[in-house]
Amino acid sequence: MTNPIIEQVLERHPKVIWEYERALNLGSIDRTRSHSNQARIGQPIVPETAAQYKQAMLNGDVFPPIVVFPDGKRRFVVADGNHRVEGALEAGISTLPAYVVVADDPADR
């Protein structure tokens, strides 16, 4: 399910190219790089938060798409949604909807 708020933010950046992916394979995410991409460096994933996402997903709750960018090696780094990824993996879910953002400048990502 697309998210108009995320799309508005992405559209404001002329140097950013993006596409919506209905089912991004979570196995293609570089979780180590994704976790190091967070402001919470000491604890990038809060286990309780991931567990809450897991339970909510098992209950059928729907969340906004994650936001990822390619790392140039056929993998993706999560810019927004690490807890959703962890919750999905814990729940045995192998794909999530995602916005794939391509920009040369890391600041634009």
Side-chain angles (χ1 to χ4, degrees):
M1 166 163 100
T2 61
N3 185 297
I5 295 171
I6 295 173
E7 290 182 12
Q8 280 181 336
V9 171
L10 293 172
E11 289 295 330
R12 288 185 190 149
H13 299 281
K15 295 180 183 176
V16 171
I17 299 168
W18 60 272
E19 66 180 40
Y20 176 73
E21 181 76 33
R22 240 176 44 116
L24 182 77
N25 182 338
L26 299 181
S28 67
I29 292 176
D30 183 331
R31 292 168 60 206
T32 300
R33 285 197 54 207
S34 295
H35 294 180
S36 67
N37 190 39
Q38 299 303 299
R40 296 175 307 276
I41 294 171
Q43 186 179 20
I45 297 298
V46 178
E48 295 82 10
T49 303
Q52 289 174 338
Y53 275 112
K54 170 188 174 183
Q55 190 57 53
M57 289 174 180
L58 289 172
N59 290 339
D61 293 349
V62 177
F63 296 95
I66 61 174
V67 179
V68 301
F69 58 89
D71 72 354
K73 301 173 188 163
R74 300 180 149 242
R75 307 272 294 165
F76 295 96
V77 177
V78 176
D80 181 59
N82 276 301
H83 284 95
R84 283 171 274 162
V85 169
E86 294 303 315
L89 290 170
E90 289 177 17
I93 297 168
S94 62
T95 65
L96 283 176
Y99 285 102
V100 178
V101 176
V102 178
D104 291 334
D105 186 348
D108 290 327
R109 287 193 295 254

